Structure formats: structure tokens, C-alpha cells
Amino acid sequence: IFVDATRAGYEQMRIAREGKQTKRFLSLDSARANRFSPDWNRYEPPIPKKKGTWSFTDYDLAELRMYIDWTPFFSSWQLTGHYPEIFKDPIVGKEAKILWDDAQKMLDQIVSEKWINANAVIGLFPANSDMDDIILYTDDSRQKILMHVHHLRQQVIKAPGQPNFCLSDFIAPVEIGKPDYLGGFAVTSGLDIEQKVKEFEKAHDDYSAILLKALADRFAEAFAERMHERMRKEWWAFVPEEKLENTELIAEVYRGIRPAPGYPACPDHTEKELLFDLLNATDESGILLTESMAMYPAASVSGWYFSHPDSKYFPVSGIDRDQLEDYALRKGMTIRDAERWLGPLL
């Protein structure tokens, strides 16, 4: 009886999991026909005040400290809860406060003694969309193409009235003749961290070594947040009067998005190669791109800037074979390589 009941239970679990994993897809043509289409006739893309690329070295850590999002910091230590409410948690509150105090002491030293360097490279380029691609131009004459940025479209069947998004939907189509722009960034706060980590490890102080790595990660995310704020207010300047508290920045109540290659809206990690070439990111920031498309130092963030007020994050949770083949053709990638990089989406 026990064996039969167990077998029946596992069969029910298998059926339930199979149901959850089964996805129904539109053809790529149908997904494109159901794309998100803003009213481009009534919208004028903002013209940036600054264009091209520019970089920062040894950015002010004291400034970046004000932009740290602490909730992920506690999560990295497996302490679940939102900052600052986590301190009141009856289970993890005490440990969270001890960790917080230690982090503040180390932050004081990081800033005053410059344990790490924070570098960034930023760019803004003339752009228009061509269905699922974004065309970048060498200058505002838009006569010469600099490169094509490739994106994937949601292909899973959606509820009626729900579009199948692609990031290119947020850039003005080339055929309507309106000039638009796309931004890019790469920031790091992990440079020169290894020597200090080795000092801690040599002294058998693993706690401090791990704490320093965790804080470097927080600085990198804070750096990305600060650069995005300056992009919106100063360089692209489409919301120059924006005044948001850090909690509002963390909640992403601002206009625009900064999706990163390898994440749900643009899950192809190989697009980092184009981004790094575009920004000359390794020479300008010191960030290396590995063969597996990971960034080194690990405390680094890179991605794109979109300004359209309707731009939003969304997941490309699966694609069908027709989109894989179309994407490989657009990128000049072999089907085999496309399958290797996009296999989890198939």
C-alpha cells in the first residue's frame, strides 16, 4: 500500500510539473504582429545634451555610499527581510544589526583608505529600431551604421490584449523618421580589491574577506544607480527636475530602464561583446569579459539605457525554433552556437 501510494503521489507530481513546464508559442511573425506599439506620432524622443562616450576613474565612494540598496546585502548573508525593517525581525533582527554595524565600520575604512576604485564608462548613441534589432549610427546624420544590437521577443502566447514585448519596441522605428537614442554603461567597484581580500585570508579572517566582497557588490549596484540617475537628469536630461529619495530609486519609480545582457529582458549574454566594443569598456573601465561572458571583477554591472516613458522590464521566458534561427541569422551566429547560448530558452 505504501509503495502504491508513493508511486501515485510521484505520478501526480510529474503531471503537475509537466503542466507548469509546457509553454505554447506563437510563430515569430505572429509575435511580431502582436508587438508593443507606442503612439510614435504623438511622441518626440528626447535629444541628449551629451553624446558619444565618456568615462570616470576613481569615482567618489562617499557619494556612491548614499545609493546602496541594503536589502540584497542581507539576502547575500541568507538573512531574509527588507531594510531597515529587518532589524525588528524576531528571528534574524539581532544578527542583521550586528552585520550592519560591521558593514558600516568597514565602509568607513573603504572610503577613507580607498580600498577599492570605482570606474565607469558611459555612452549615448543615435539609434532607431528595425523590428527586433536596434540600429546604432556613427553620428546624428544617421547615414552610416555603427552596429546592430540584437534582441529577443516574447514568444509565449499571452492573454488577449497583452503584447509580446521586445526591447526594440521602446526605440523609434527607422521607417517613421524620428531620431531616437540608446545609452550604454559599464561600471565596476571591484578593481584592486583582491589585495585586501588576500590580506584578510592570510590572517584567517574569512568573515572580513567575505564582507568586503559583499560590500564591493553593493558599491557596483549603487554605482549603476547613480550613473542612471545622472543620465536621466544631466546627460540625456529627459527628466532634469527629477528629485527622488534612495528608497524611490530602489523601487524604480523613475522613467526609463537599464536592462543588462544576460538578464530576463535580454537573456543573450553574447550581446555583452557588442556593448563592450561599443564603449571600449575594457580599456576605459578596466572590466574584462571572460569567454563565458562573465565580467571581471565580479563587482561590475553593464547594460543599456532606454528613455521611453512606457519602457518596462519583462521576461523573455522561452523562444521557439523559428526565433532561434532568425536570431542566429541576424547575429551572424551558427545555429549550434545559438543553441549553446540560448538553450535554456528553447
Side-chain angles (χ1 to χ4, degrees):
I1 296 175
F2 172 76
V3 173
D4 290 342
T6 301
R7 182 179 292 114
Y10 275 109
E11 178 64 12
Q12 290 177 350
M13 185 183 302
R14 184 192 66 78
I15 294 172
R17 289 179 61 85
E18 183 179 63
K20 289 181 180 179
Q21 291 172 359
T22 299
K23 294 178 181 177
R24 298 173 60 230
F25 296 96
L26 294 170
S27 69
L28 180 57
D29 287 342
S30 296
R32 285 172 170 168
N34 191 46
R35 65 185 178 274
F36 175 70
S37 298
D39 187 350
W40 293 109
N41 292 325
R42 301 180 62 181
Y43 175 75
E44 295 297 327
I47 299 175
K49 288 188 175 181
K50 190 169 186 175
K51 302 169 190 175
T53 60
W54 59 97
S55 58
F56 299 91
T57 56
D58 197 19
Y59 200 90
D60 185 2
L61 297 176
E63 178 181 320
L64 298 182
R65 182 176 182 174
M66 307 302 295
Y67 289 80
I68 290 178
D69 179 3
W70 286 103
T71 296
F73 169 78
F74 292 111
S75 296
S76 69
W77 292 84
Q78 298 184 339
L79 298 176
T80 304
H82 289 278
Y83 169 83
E85 292 81 8
I86 191 172
F87 297 140
K88 300 176 183 178
D89 188 281
I91 299 175
V92 302
K94 182 177 180 181
E95 289 77 8
K97 186 61 168 63
I98 293 172
L99 180 61
W100 161 263
D101 290 339
D102 290 342
Q104 299 313 303
K105 292 175 184 176
M106 182 173 283
L107 274 175
D108 290 340
Q109 290 181 285
I110 290 173
V111 173
S112 63
E113 300 174 20
K114 287 195 173 181
W115 286 4
I116 61 177
N117 285 327
N119 293 350
V121 57
I122 310 295
L124 263 172
F125 308 92
N128 285 111
S129 65
D130 180 15
M131 195 51 74
D132 298 348
D133 284 351
I134 298 174
I135 305 169
L136 301 184
Y137 302 96
T138 56
D139 55 46
D140 275 323
S141 71
R142 298 173 189 257
Q143 297 300 307
K144 186 176 180 181
I145 293 175
L146 179 60
M147 67 169 55
H148 286 78
V149 179
H150 314 93
H151 291 293
L152 291 163
R153 182 170 297 281
Q154 290 181 322
Q155 204 172 350
V156 174
I157 293 177
K158 308 285 282 290
Q162 296 296 314
N164 289 78
F165 286 101
C166 178
L167 285 173
S168 60
D169 295 342
F170 306 130
I171 299 291
V174 63
E175 61 267 20
I176 70 171
K178 287 192 175 185
D180 208 342
Y181 296 84
L182 180 72
F185 70 94
V187 304
T188 183
S189 59
L191 299 170
D192 301 328
I193 191 179
E194 291 186 354
Q195 184 58 42
K196 199 65 185 179
V197 169
K198 288 179 180 177
E199 289 180 19
F200 286 131
E201 292 175 342
K202 188 175 181 179
H204 305 289
D205 187 357
D206 291 339
Y207 173 70
S208 293
I210 296 171
L211 182 59
L212 176 55
K213 292 178 183 178
L215 290 175
D217 288 342
R218 288 298 91 211
F219 265 119
E221 295 291 348
F223 203 178
E225 192 72 80
R226 177 56 175 149
M227 292 296 95
H228 195 185
E229 181 184 52
R230 294 191 65 181
M231 177 61 73
R232 297 189 303 272
K233 297 174 67 174
E234 300 175 37
W235 304 321
W236 209 334
F238 50 85
V239 282
E241 304 302 322
E242 177 189 278
K243 294 181 180 179
L244 299 176
E245 300 293 331
N246 195 39
T247 53
E248 295 172 299
L249 294 175
I250 293 169
E252 299 174 349
V253 299
Y254 45 74
R255 170 178 163 178
I257 56 174
R258 58 170 190 273
Y263 283 78
C266 43
D268 179 15
H269 284 277
T270 67
E271 286 293 293
K272 284 181 197 157
E273 287 185 310
L274 293 180
L275 176 60
F276 270 56
D277 288 345
L278 180 68
L279 299 175
N280 192 23
T282 296
D283 289 343
E284 295 296 329
S285 69
I287 307 171
L288 301 176
L289 200 57
T290 71
E291 290 183 357
S292 61
M293 301 299 153
M295 288 179 288
Y296 181 84
S300 303
V301 184
S302 63
W304 305 105
Y305 292 129
F306 290 78
S307 67
H308 195 284
D310 292 331
S311 61
K312 58 181 287 185
Y313 296 105
F314 56 86
V316 177
S317 57
I319 61 173
D320 214 346
R321 189 78 189 179
D322 58 346
Q323 182 163 192
L324 175 85
E325 294 173 355
D326 179 89
Y327 188 74
L329 181 64
R330 287 189 282 128
K331 279 181 66 75
M333 176 186 280
T334 66
I335 296 296
R336 185 174 180 178
D337 281 344
E339 289 173 335
R340 181 166 67 90
W341 287 103
L342 302 177
L345 296 175
L346 284 173

